[in-house]
Amino acid sequence: MSTHQLAALARTAEPRLMLRRFLALDAAVTGANALAYLALSGPLGRCLGAGSGLLLVLGAFLAVYAGCVGLLAARSRPPALAVRAVVEANLAWAAVSFAALALWLTPTTAGAVWTVLQALVVAAFALLQHGALRQDQGSSV
């Protein structure tokens, strides 16, 4: 992704602010997902074809993860190693989502669509964060 495309998406040409915005957006979306899983595990479980216990565990994990990513986004200079860990965790989440769908989950149609969509969104966050990190590192050399 080019510098101009990233800047347009982040609404800034400043690489560090771009990175922080993509991290903050990831934290917000992940946190909202976590809250939905925690507060509505029963109805969402029925809709998606997933057990409410699974959604509660995922919700708790996602809440912690969102908090960590949010803290990283709040730093004026997010450490590159920590950002790389977020990128890799997001890519792993997307890969595991697709594997789970193919190998062991038996979701409803809505659940299958949701699993694919959330995996694609998480992978997109990883790509945006990676691109912004590269821009930030290129600008500080």
Side-chain angles (χ1 to χ4, degrees):
M1 187 167 276
S2 76
T3 302
H4 297 295
Q5 290 169 319
L6 285 172
L9 286 170
R11 297 179 161 244
T12 181
E14 202 280 301
R16 186 158 301 123
L17 183 55
M18 188 184 309
L19 175 60
R20 293 177 63 213
R21 285 183 178 175
F22 290 142
L23 289 167
L25 182 60
D26 185 356
V29 170
T30 302
N33 201 26
L35 290 175
Y37 285 177
L38 289 169
L40 303 168
S41 62
L44 280 177
R46 287 187 293 280
C47 177
L48 301 175
S52 61
L54 173 63
L55 292 183
L56 284 171
V57 169
L58 288 175
F61 171 78
L62 291 174
V64 171
Y65 182 77
C68 292
V69 175
L71 287 173
L72 188 60
R75 296 189 63 171
S76 61
R77 294 181 75 97
L81 186 61
V83 174
R84 283 190 200 100
V86 169
V87 169
E88 291 174 11
N90 282 343
L91 291 173
W93 180 275
V96 169
S97 295
F98 286 119
L101 190 57
L103 299 174
W104 65 81
L105 291 179
T106 53
T108 61
T109 300
V113 169
W114 174 252
T115 302
V116 169
L117 288 177
Q118 64 83 30
L120 293 174
V121 167
V122 171
F125 281 142
L127 294 175
L128 291 170
Q129 292 157 351
H130 175 73
L133 179 62
R134 287 186 61 196
Q135 294 296 324
D136 184 44
Q137 290 177 327
S139 70
S140 61
V141 175

